Amino acid sequence: MQLLNTPPTKPEGSIFTRHTARAIVLNGNDILLLFTERYDDYTLPGGGVDENEAIEAALLRELQEETGVKSITQCSAFGRFEEIRSWYKNDFDYVHIVSDCYVCEICGEFDKPQMEHYEIANGMRPVWVNIDDAIAHNKQTLAQSEKKGLSIQREIFLLETIKAQLVCSD
């Protein structure tokens, strides 16, 4: 899979790797994203790949849980984004997150999302949004945020890359 960013330098200390699968679902200039009220940002649907789970199965599971999509009709590799973050638990110093992103075509039918408790508590919901609006919104959120979180930086990078490579310009 094509690496989308420069691989991060591994710091000194204990580190573990977390693999994730992220879905890119487009409809013209609109993209299916998750809006999270708590963080006021847009993110690609997706999440962790369970042990012994095929990445395609994880992708479908996460897409169904978070957006209610019934089925993926076609899926192709887009690229990998790697990042290293400080870990908040005592068992490791850092987490190496490997996000494999796939362009997905869906059947267009949706069920009710089956989000996890913390996702519901954070006000997460699936939305179709113009990709330019999502990028602008995330940039504004980042500029106004005191946290300067890595997640939103990743999402801005991925959305800009998706727009440049997959979305037709007007």
Side-chain angles (χ1 to χ4, degrees):
M1 183 171 292
Q2 158 186 305
L3 189 61
L4 299 172
N5 64 327
T6 303
T9 303
K10 292 190 177 179
E12 293 292 322
S14 59
I15 190 167
F16 76 99
T17 300
R18 179 175 187 257
H19 289 273
T20 67
R22 302 191 188 280
I24 302 165
V25 181
L26 295 166
N27 183 9
N29 290 340
D30 289 343
I31 185 167
L32 181 59
L33 297 174
L34 298 170
F35 180 77
T36 305
E37 285 182 41
R38 178 178 181 189
Y39 303 114
D40 191 27
D41 67 0
Y42 292 102
T43 60
L44 291 173
V49 178
D50 294 334
E51 189 173 344
N52 299 319
E53 183 179 32
I55 193 141
E56 295 84 3
L59 184 67
L60 178 59
R61 175 181 51 77
E62 288 288 343
L63 197 54
Q64 287 175 330
E65 289 173 359
E66 294 179 343
T67 70
V69 163
K70 284 190 175 184
S71 67
I72 297 174
T73 57
Q74 191 172 338
C75 186
S76 60
F78 178 70
R80 174 175 284 172
F81 184 91
E82 294 188 37
E83 60 193 303
I84 294 178
R85 297 187 194 176
S86 294
W87 188 237
Y88 63 95
K89 295 181 182 176
N90 292 330
D91 50 352
F92 290 94
D93 298 318
Y94 300 96
V95 57
H96 174 210
I97 303 172
V98 179
S99 296
D100 288 337
C101 302
Y102 292 84
V103 178
C104 302
E105 291 183 23
I106 58 173
C107 71
E109 296 181 25
F110 290 79
D111 284 328
K112 183 178 178 186
Q114 301 297 313
M115 294 194 185
E116 295 187 42
H117 175 72
Y118 75 91
E119 293 169 327
I120 294 168
N122 287 338
M124 185 180 283
R125 67 182 183 277
V127 295
W128 285 100
V129 62
N130 177 282
I131 194 165
D132 290 315
D133 293 344
I135 293 167
H137 181 91
N138 278 2
K139 284 183 173 182
Q140 181 178 4
T141 296
L142 181 62
Q144 295 174 349
S145 171
E146 294 176 14
K147 294 180 183 178
K148 305 294 182 199
L150 295 176
S151 294
I152 196 166
Q153 292 172 7
R154 174 193 65 225
E155 297 302 322
I156 291 169
F157 177 89
L158 289 174
L159 288 170
E160 288 179 333
T161 303
I162 292 162
K163 178 179 171 31
Q165 295 185 21
L166 299 177
V167 176
C168 297
S169 298
D170 293 335

